[in-house]
Amino acid sequence: MKHSIRIIGLLLGLLLLAACPLSVGAINSGAEHSYMVEDDYDQSIIPKTYQFDYVIDGLFDGVKLSTPQDLFISGKGELFIADTGNNRILRMDARGQLLATYTVAGDKAFSSPKGVFVDKNGYIYVADTNNKRIVKLTDSGELVATIVRPESDLISEDISFEPTKLMVCNNGLIYVIVGKEFMSITQDNEFMGYFGSEKIPFSLSNMLVNLFASDIQKQKLTKVQPSSYNNFALGADGLVYAVANKSTGQIKKITSVGENIYEEKFYGEYVYNQSNVLVPPNYADVAVDQNGIIFVCESNSRKIYQYDRKGNSIAVFGGEGTTEGYFSMPVAVDVNAEGHVFVLDSDRGAVQVFSSTAFMGQVLDALNLFENGKYDEAYTAWNEIVRLNAGYPLAHDMLGTIEYKRKNYTAAMEHFEISGNQEDYGEAYGEQMHDLITKNFAVVAIGLIVVVLAAAWGLGKLKKVVDKWNRQLFHIAGD
């Protein structure tokens, strides 16, 4: 019997494993639908969110893009591409019409530039990687300044200053990724420190090794290092949005003092790579629109993941392929003021441009209403979205949150149950119980007193019965 139960349990386990959301990648967001990833890694199919508009084929001055590594949209809406393999920076309009080509800075030609950024004043910054420098240019290509390895004892000697990605804040401070380091440098080439660094967790084993191991043994041990950053973007709110190589918390929203204020959780999903090995997401780039909506491009699944200000999944689109709407190797993403999404495909040497569908437009409008505190309007908007797609978890989460703010806890629990949001469901349930007890305190108190008195009376009666039985059992005389 026990053996049979074990077999049944094993079969059920295998069935659950087959349905497990870790078999991610089964859904390919094609032409007719997108999907979203919930916190339990489950995938919910939703209406199509972004549609292919047009492609910038990457042929400029008769030369095709070669392993381009970065894409940036300036305040004027112009596109800048780091055409790494061709040692040049390209500047074009939103339709891909070439406006300028930059190949030199001062008397030195670019060598494998991997990053480009344009500040609010229109100055162009280039991470001239193999030349181990950052250059600042005017829009006509004139050299304004050169940033090289800063003089500082805080920079390890084994770090080669080969900048890959860079960004300039409104105060002029330059943020740059050099290898695994995320550092800040002034316009005068002064090192200001490492930015967004994480604390390495305490390790008892490492402490014991440092106390008792020999120098040779210590050298053979792997050094524990904080996670490295792949890319970052400057938001309209002045915050730094970054993607890092981590098991959780891969997306970060970093304040000016280096503190991450984005929810620390797992973002994205595991997928099978070309070797049929299940691998975690590897985010190549991040972009943020004017309303704080985050886009990240993931190199393993070749998809674009979209999140709101609080880390909720909005949509996933794209995937591996060579047709419109799919990517061979997305390496950079950016969003212009009109909300068009630009994705740079390094292997194809092209940029695909997407626009939001009517459904996504409604979602973004509803999110903006909610974020601006217009809860009544947002409630109407989210209900309309539920009418179009009854199972969209984000819509039910938003409706549940609004009902929670209105103190309609029963309605909030209903929405959280549909969305699978157990944490907020528990909070709504707790508030509902608190209100119930508070409003009926007198009744509850009297009920408790009655229960206590009844229990005491019952125990007294029970004691008399037990005593009587004992006297009869042991033939003890008495009343």
Side-chain angles (χ1 to χ4, degrees):
M1 180 67 178
K2 290 182 179 179
H3 184 66
S4 300
I5 293 174
R6 285 188 185 131
I7 293 175
I8 294 171
L10 179 60
L11 290 173
L12 288 173
L14 290 173
L15 288 172
L16 287 172
L17 183 62
C20 178
L22 283 181
S23 60
V24 195
I27 291 181
N28 196 347
S29 53
E32 300 304 326
H33 70 266
S34 299
Y35 70 93
M36 62 165 288
V37 182
E38 300 175 58
D39 286 345
D40 58 0
Y41 312 127
D42 198 9
Q43 296 174 332
S44 296
I45 296 178
I46 59 176
K48 185 177 178 182
T49 54
Y50 284 88
Q51 58 195 7
F52 171 83
D53 264 6
Y54 60 93
V55 62
I56 300 173
D57 63 11
L59 186 65
F60 301 100
D61 289 337
V63 180
K64 180 75 172 176
L65 290 174
S66 175
T67 59
Q69 295 298 302
D70 201 14
L71 166 71
F72 183 81
I73 300 177
S74 71
K76 294 180 179 180
E78 295 176 342
L79 274 65
F80 290 77
I81 294 177
D83 188 7
T84 307
N86 291 319
N87 303 309
R88 61 181 182 172
I89 301 296
L90 301 172
R91 175 184 166 201
M92 64 199 75
D93 64 19
R95 300 295 302 190
Q97 181 67 39
L98 186 63
L99 302 176
T101 301
Y102 309 93
T103 58
V104 298
D107 58 356
K108 185 182 290 186
F110 289 139
S111 180
S112 298
K114 293 183 179 179
V116 60
F117 184 90
V118 181
D119 70 11
K120 61 181 181 180
N121 298 314
Y123 288 109
I124 304 166
Y125 294 78
V126 179
D128 192 6
T129 308
N130 284 359
N131 282 328
K132 300 182 180 182
R133 63 175 183 167
I134 296 170
V135 296
K136 179 180 179 180
L137 309 173
T138 64
D139 60 359
S140 61
E142 297 177 2
L143 180 63
V144 177
T146 300
I147 307 295
V148 295
R149 179 191 176 96
E151 295 293 333
S152 175
D153 294 336
L154 297 176
I155 302 177
S156 175
E157 294 182 0
D158 59 359
I159 295 178
S160 178
F161 190 77
E162 297 179 4
T164 55
K165 307 299 176 186
L166 78 168
M167 176 182 67
V168 182
C169 287
N170 294 332
N171 60 6
L173 197 62
I174 302 170
Y175 292 125
V176 58
I177 294 177
V178 179
K180 293 184 177 181
E181 306 295 343
F182 184 2
M183 58 180 66
S184 57
I185 305 171
T186 68
Q187 296 281 336
D188 296 325
N189 215 151
E190 180 183 357
F191 179 70
M192 296 300 291
Y194 295 105
F195 188 77
S197 298
E198 296 181 327
K199 294 181 180 179
I200 299 174
F202 171 77
S203 170
L204 178 60
S205 60
N206 285 346
M207 184 191 73
L208 294 174
V209 167
N210 288 326
L211 285 174
F212 301 110
S214 66
D215 291 339
I216 296 177
Q217 289 172 329
K218 291 178 183 179
Q219 291 174 2
K220 291 181 179 180
L221 293 173
T222 302
K223 184 179 179 182
V224 180
Q225 295 180 337
S227 57
S228 58
Y229 288 88
N230 293 335
N231 219 321
F232 45 46
L234 181 65
D237 51 11
L239 299 176
V240 176
Y241 293 76
V243 283
N245 285 327
K246 293 187 62 186
S247 57
T248 60
Q250 309 100 314
I251 304 174
K252 296 183 175 298
K253 186 191 296 187
I254 308 173
T255 66
S256 58
V257 296
E259 179 185 359
N260 175 45
I261 59 174
Y262 209 53
E263 184 176 352
E264 186 79 14
K265 68 177 183 179
F266 180 87
Y267 291 96
E269 52 193 335
Y270 282 79
V271 297
Y272 287 98
N273 63 14
Q274 294 178 342
S275 301
N276 203 34
V277 176
L278 198 62
V279 294
N282 179 44
Y283 294 120
D285 195 16
V286 57
V288 57
D289 71 9
Q290 299 297 314
N291 297 310
I293 303 300
I294 296 172
F295 299 79
V296 289
C297 67
E298 204 280 301
S299 59
N300 290 327
S301 65
R302 275 73 161 174
K303 294 176 182 178
I304 306 299
Y305 291 78
Q306 185 184 24
Y307 296 92
D308 69 7
R309 295 181 185 181
K310 296 181 179 178
N312 297 310
S313 173
I314 300 177
V316 183
F317 65 96
E320 185 173 5
T322 56
T323 56
E324 294 177 352
Y326 296 90
F327 314 107
S328 294
M329 183 51 69
V331 295
V333 61
D334 210 344
V335 189
N336 67 8
E338 289 74 39
H340 293 100
V341 182
F342 293 72
V343 182
L344 175 63
D345 193 323
S346 181
D347 285 359
R348 293 174 64 182
V351 177
Q352 292 191 62
V353 185
F354 300 82
S355 60
S356 59
T357 61
F359 174 78
M360 178 49 61
Q362 287 179 290
V363 171
L364 296 176
D365 287 343
L367 281 169
N368 287 334
L369 288 170
F370 180 86
E371 292 296 340
N372 291 325
K374 299 179 179 179
Y375 300 126
D376 290 341
E377 295 176 57
Y379 187 81
T380 301
W382 284 117
N383 268 312
E384 175 61 19
I385 292 169
V386 167
R387 187 187 68 79
L388 296 173
N389 187 266
Y392 188 30
L394 180 60
H396 287 288
D397 263 348
M398 294 294 105
L399 287 170
T401 302
I402 294 171
E403 293 287 18
Y404 183 91
K405 290 179 179 294
R406 292 174 171 176
K407 298 185 178 182
N408 297 330
Y409 300 121
T410 300
M413 289 162 59
E414 291 174 357
H415 286 295
F416 290 141
E417 183 177 12
I418 295 173
S419 70
N421 189 338
Q422 296 180 3
E423 181 178 352
D424 288 343
Y425 180 95
E427 289 188 10
Y429 180 79
E431 291 294 335
Q432 185 184 54
M433 290 298 99
H434 176 269
D435 281 0
L436 182 64
I437 293 172
T438 301
K439 292 177 181 178
N440 301 279
F441 179 76
V443 175
V444 172
I446 292 172
L448 286 173
I449 293 171
V450 170
V451 169
V452 171
L453 292 175
W457 179 83
L459 287 173
K461 294 291 290 183
L462 179 62
K463 184 177 183 301
K464 288 182 178 180
V465 171
V466 171
D467 288 344
K468 182 178 180 180
W469 285 351
N470 285 335
R471 286 194 298 271
Q472 291 176 351
L473 181 63
F474 294 103
H475 304 285
I476 298 174
D479 293 335

